[in-house]
Structures are given as structure tokens and as C-alpha cells.
Amino acid sequence: DSGVTQTPKHLITATGQRVTLRCSPRSGDLSVYWYQQSLDQGLQFLIQYYNGEERAKGNILERFSAQQFPDLHSELNLSSLELGDSALYFCASSVGDTNYEQYFGPGTRLTVT
Amino acid sequence: GDSVTQMEGPVTLSEEAFLTINCTYTATGYPSLFWYVQYPGEGLQLLLKATKADDKGSNKGFEATYRKETTSFHLEKGSVQVSDSAVYFCALRNTGGFKTIFGAGTRLFVKA
């Protein structure tokens, strides 16, 4: 158990819908990272927040957005969902904002039908 | 841009066989290198890391040496077990970098 929690574990929704994935980092960690893992694209970095502020952006679509709240939990919002958004979404956390070990959550499996 | 290339899987071995999973990278500067493992139904776990050239990372019988001259970080284990069956990801993070670049992953099956 990494100490990072993600909810829900599974999510099934229809195209065009909007969903919110939630992540709680390990106690004491200030950074949260979001990754998308799909069969064709592998593991892709989406975005990082550090202590409430956006720190780095990766291959995140404009339909996707994230935020980190004062209690340091983070939410990833996915809107206008397409079939190709079906994937595992992982959250990771670390103590600092650079060069710190990342601890991964168990992931949320999103299926868009 | 920075990238990581690792050998395609799946790799199928018998128990107690020797394991090598190749990983090469392209990066500017002096990256830190990592191996992560993902067991079925779980998130990624850091297996080992090396932060500078010639460093050897090791954990649970796995090891990898940071080779700057060949830009490689191959994962090895002398005697695999069925419980080592998982997907292994090679990754890099550049100095001062905010994001970690992952390879495509290599699935390992170990037969009893």
C-alpha cells in the first residue's frame, strides 16, 4: 500500500459525459501527478500540482482539467468523453516538486461506452 | 525530446532463469533513471533507481547499472520467481525536471 488513494476504482460512462476522478496523496506529500495508461499510448504524464499550484503539464487534452485543493487532495475532470479516453488513470504523489520519488495510487479504470 | 526505449514483451521465462530487460534512453543533461514494477491490478511501484553515471541500483534481487556511455539502464535478476511476473517500466527524470518519462513497459511471465 503506497498511501495514495484514488476513487472510484472503476467508472463506466457514456460518450459526451463528464467525470471527476479523485486522489488523496500520502500524508505529508505536497505534489500530485496525474498519468493516463492506455494500451496504445502507454503511460503518459498529464499534469502535476505542487501545494495547490500547477507545476508542469504533459500531454493533457483541453477537455481535461485538474486542480489541487487546500487539503492537498486533487481532482481530475474529464469532459466531452470519447471512446479513446478509456484508460487507467493513475495519481502519484511526492514530498517535493522535483527529483523526489513518486508513489502511485492503485488507479481508476475509466470505460467510455 | 527526452525518451525511453525498452524491449518489447512479453518475456516468458522459467523459474530460476536469468532475466535481462533492455532499456536505453535519450536525454539532455544528466537524468535520474528508474525501474518501476506494476503487478496485476495495482499501481506502479518504484523498484530501483540510479541518479548518476556508473551508479548501480538494486532491490529484491534486481539490479541495473547507469551506463552513460551506452545510454542504457538494463534490468537484471539472476534467478526469477513466479511472483516476479509483472510489467516492468524503465523511466527517466531530468535534473530539475518535473515530469518522469516512461518507457512502454515490458511484460514478464515466469512459469513454474
Side-chain angles (χ1 to χ4, degrees):
Chain A
D1 185 352
S2 66
V4 178
T5 60
Q6 290 186 248
T7 56
K9 196 172 176 64
H10 301 279
L11 199 48
I12 301 175
T13 189
T15 54
Q17 295 298 305
R18 173 189 169 95
V19 297
T20 297
L21 313 183
R22 182 188 168 103
C23 168
S24 293
R26 289 187 325 152
S27 176
D29 284 359
L30 299 179
S31 269
V32 169
Y33 310 75
W34 286 98
Y35 293 87
Q36 179 193 58
Q37 185 179 37
S38 60
L39 282 174
D40 55 344
Q41 295 286 325
L43 192 63
Q44 299 282 321
F45 167 73
L46 296 178
I47 197 164
Q48 179 202 0
Y49 279 82
Y50 175 73
N51 205 20
E53 292 187 5
E54 183 183 303
R55 218 21 156 216
K57 246 180 181 175
N59 302 320
I60 188 166
L61 300 172
E62 285 192 15
R63 300 183 285 108
F64 295 1
S65 64
Q67 54 183 331
Q68 186 179 27
F69 295 87
D71 67 353
L72 301 177
H73 91 272
S74 178
E75 292 181 355
L76 179 67
N77 299 296
L78 315 176
S79 62
S80 303
L81 285 168
E82 301 174 0
L83 296 177
D85 297 328
S86 296
L88 261 172
Y89 290 84
F90 287 107
C91 167
S93 72
S94 66
V95 170
D97 60 345
T98 62
N99 296 319
Y100 289 91
E101 180 176 338
Q102 295 179 31
Y103 293 85
F104 282 76
T108 293
R109 182 172 292 282
L110 173 66
T111 302
V112 182
T113 62
Chain B
D2 297 347
S3 66
V4 175
T5 303
Q6 56 184 111
M7 63 188 288
E8 284 192 32
V11 173
T12 302
L13 296 172
S14 297
E15 210 165 21
E16 299 184 3
F18 184 86
L19 168 71
T20 300
I21 300 178
N22 290 336
C23 171
T24 57
Y25 67 91
T26 301
T28 55
Y30 303 94
S32 295
L33 302 175
F34 306 86
W35 277 101
Y36 284 83
V37 58
Q38 184 180 27
Y39 297 104
E42 297 184 13
L44 278 71
Q45 302 173 27
L46 180 65
L47 182 59
L48 54 85
K49 67 180 180 183
T51 57
K52 62 183 188 297
D54 299 325
D55 268 2
K56 178 186 282 189
S58 60
N59 186 25
K60 299 181 182 178
F62 292 89
E63 56 183 37
T65 301
Y66 189 142
R67 301 281 187 207
K68 193 164 174 64
E69 64 276 13
T70 54
T71 61
S72 65
F73 192 56
H74 304 321
L75 181 69
E76 295 181 337
K77 186 176 186 184
S79 176
V80 294
Q81 305 300 312
V82 172
S83 57
D84 293 327
S85 298
V87 180
Y88 293 81
F89 292 89
C90 184
L92 73 81
R93 189 170 63 229
N94 221 328
T95 305
F98 295 104
K99 61 180 181 178
T100 302
I101 309 295
F102 288 86
T106 302
R107 185 175 294 277
L108 170 66
F109 291 107
V110 181
K111 303 179 298 184

